[in-house]
């Protein structure tokens, strides 16, 4: 028997998988968000203020839908204007408003270009709390930002995800690296053989 004589298999009805995306209201799709980004001047509501250093203590105060801040990879965003445009809905942000959303973002949206999507909503840079008395951050699953600090051109110091300690210089022992100026013993013997002792 060849393939042309086999009976045609009956197609199994496919069971639709439930979608996690919520239905967005009209005017709240991605292209509407991009249009809003292009047409507005101050979505982050900085009112002309420069980017500043922000502690996690201050971010925790802004945990409402109408006033929501999140830390994302060392940067702090006023995410409030974007919440209703998010395909997963506003409720998905309940766990991370007023906190660090880096872990959740990396889990579900690693491929998303965050600078292109919410870059204009940046309000500052996350810095470690200096006088942090409460150590309950470990219990809440808050993503810890590396403590590598970077100083920008305008003198602001902030945590950068690209900062790292400079590499330590390698210690090289003199016998490990022969000098090009020194000749080896074999070269000396060859040179001695070529010397004319009778001038």
């Amino acid at each position: 028997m060849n393939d042309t004589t086999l009976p045609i298999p009956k197609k199994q009805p496919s069971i639709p998988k439930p979608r996690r995306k919520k239905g967005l209201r009209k005017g709240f799709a991605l292209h509407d968000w991009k249009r809003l980004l292009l047409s507005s001047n101050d979505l982050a509501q900085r009112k002309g203020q420069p980017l500043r250093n922000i502690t996690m203590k201050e971010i925790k105060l802004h945990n409402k839908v109408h006033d929501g801040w999140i830390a994302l990879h060392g940067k702090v965003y006023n995410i409030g204007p974007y919440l209703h445009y998010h395909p997963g809905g506003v409720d998905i942000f309940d766990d991370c408003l007023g906190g660090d959303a880096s872990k959740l973002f990396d889990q579900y949206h690693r491929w998303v270009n965050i600078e292109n999507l919410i870059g204009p909503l940046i309000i500052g840079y996350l810095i470690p709390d200096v006088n942090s008395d409460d150590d309950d951050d470990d219990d809440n699953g808050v993503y810890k930002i590396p403590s590598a600090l970077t100083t920008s051109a305008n003198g602001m110091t902030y945590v950068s995800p690209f900062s790292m300690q400079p590499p330590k210089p390698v210690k090289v022992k003199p016998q490990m690296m022969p000098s090009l100026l020194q000749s080896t013993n074999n070269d000396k013997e060859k040179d001695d053989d070529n010397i004319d002792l009778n001038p």
Side-chain angles (χ1 to χ4, degrees):
M1 270 191 177
N2 59 25
D3 291 341
T4 58
T5 59
L6 291 176
I8 299 172
K10 293 182 180 178
K11 292 185 179 179
Q12 297 290 332
S14 62
I15 300 171
K17 295 180 182 177
R19 287 181 54 147
R20 295 192 69 203
K21 293 183 179 181
K22 306 261 181 168
L24 295 174
R25 295 184 313 197
K26 187 173 183 177
F28 287 89
L30 178 62
H31 65 276
D32 297 313
W33 172 249
K34 297 302 278 179
R35 187 179 307 132
L36 181 63
L37 282 178
L38 292 173
S39 65
S40 68
N41 294 330
D42 190 23
L43 274 178
Q45 301 168 0
R46 289 194 338 232
K47 299 177 181 139
Q49 297 292 323
L51 297 177
R52 61 188 181 95
N53 296 333
I54 301 170
T55 63
M56 189 56 83
K57 193 174 190 178
E58 185 179 356
I59 294 172
K60 288 179 181 178
L61 300 174
H62 301 274
N63 58 0
K64 307 284 187 273
V65 173
H66 63 277
D67 180 32
W69 291 8
I70 60 168
L72 195 57
H73 299 297
K75 296 179 181 179
V76 180
Y77 296 93
N78 179 3
I79 199 73
Y82 175 71
L83 290 178
H84 294 284
Y85 291 89
H86 188 264
V90 177
D91 300 337
I92 217 156
F93 283 92
D94 287 344
D95 295 336
C96 61
L97 278 179
D100 195 329
S102 301
K103 197 172 193 178
L104 283 173
F105 181 82
D106 289 342
Q107 184 177 0
Y108 296 108
H109 297 303
R110 244 180 322 213
W111 60 89
V112 174
N113 181 351
I114 198 65
E115 292 301 319
N116 190 18
L117 188 64
I118 62 168
L121 299 179
I122 189 169
I123 54 176
Y125 298 99
L126 180 66
I127 60 170
D129 289 333
V130 177
N131 297 329
S132 175
D133 294 335
D134 53 307
D135 292 333
D136 62 344
D137 289 348
D138 295 334
D139 299 334
N140 294 335
V142 175
Y143 179 77
K144 295 291 184 185
I145 300 294
S147 61
L149 297 177
T150 301
T151 304
S152 65
N154 62 359
M156 289 182 61
T157 302
Y158 61 93
V159 176
S160 171
F162 304 108
S163 297
M164 62 175 33
Q165 296 293 331
K168 294 181 181 178
V170 179
K171 294 181 181 178
V172 179
K173 296 179 182 176
Q175 57 268 48
M176 288 178 62
M177 186 168 25
S179 173
L180 295 175
L181 299 176
Q182 295 176 350
S183 60
T184 61
N185 290 338
N186 293 340
D187 291 340
K188 282 187 176 182
E189 291 173 3
K190 289 179 184 175
D191 290 342
D192 289 343
D193 293 340
N194 294 335
I195 297 176
D196 186 15
L197 297 177
N198 297 325

